[in-house]
């Protein structure tokens, strides 16, 4: 699934999840994904994992595949490739 410019806000108006241009979720399989807020996904990210913890930041054009769970405070630099 490809999503462009998606943002979620809580009741007070604070941004919880910010997904920039061309983020692809579950690109390699059909499965449910849980993204704990707040998290930031920058343009060109390809993400395939079951859970992404809060306060995570995934930089542009990074790919994450075959990962079951990513904990809180996870940060990936630009153009990274993470696979198990």
């Amino acid at each position: 699934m490809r999503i462009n410019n998606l943002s979620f806000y809580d009741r007070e108006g604070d941004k919880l999840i910010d997904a920039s241009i061309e983020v692809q979720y579950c690109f390699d399989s059909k499965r449910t994904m849980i993204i704990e807020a707040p998290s930031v996904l920058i343009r060109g990210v390809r993400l395939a994992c079951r859970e992404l913890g809060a306060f995570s930041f995934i930089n542009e054009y990074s790919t994450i595949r075959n990962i079951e769970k990513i904990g809180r405070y996870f940060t990936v630099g630009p153009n990274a490739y993470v696979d198990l």
Side-chain angles (χ1 to χ4, degrees):
M1 171 188 338
R2 180 172 292 200
I3 297 177
N4 293 325
N5 298 323
L6 172 70
S7 296
F8 291 101
Y9 298 87
D10 65 12
R11 292 181 186 182
E12 288 77 39
D14 295 323
K15 189 177 280 191
L16 298 177
I17 298 173
D18 186 18
S20 261
I21 299 169
E22 297 181 15
V23 173
Q24 293 182 34
Y25 299 92
C26 302
F27 68 92
D28 65 347
S29 66
K30 294 180 181 180
R31 62 171 128 178
T32 301
M33 212 173 137
I34 298 169
I35 300 176
E36 187 180 9
S39 294
V40 176
L41 308 169
I42 305 299
R43 105 186 111 205
V45 168
R46 297 180 66 189
L47 183 61
C49 66
R50 244 186 239 293
E51 289 184 50
L52 177 65
F55 308 102
S56 295
F57 180 88
I58 303 177
N59 215 322
E60 61 188 359
Y61 303 109
S62 294
T63 299
I64 298 175
R65 302 182 51 170
N66 302 319
I67 306 292
E68 190 66 27
K69 182 177 181 179
I70 297 172
R72 292 179 168 191
Y73 303 98
F74 178 76
T75 302
V76 173
N79 301 309
Y81 185 84
V82 180
D83 191 359
L84 287 181

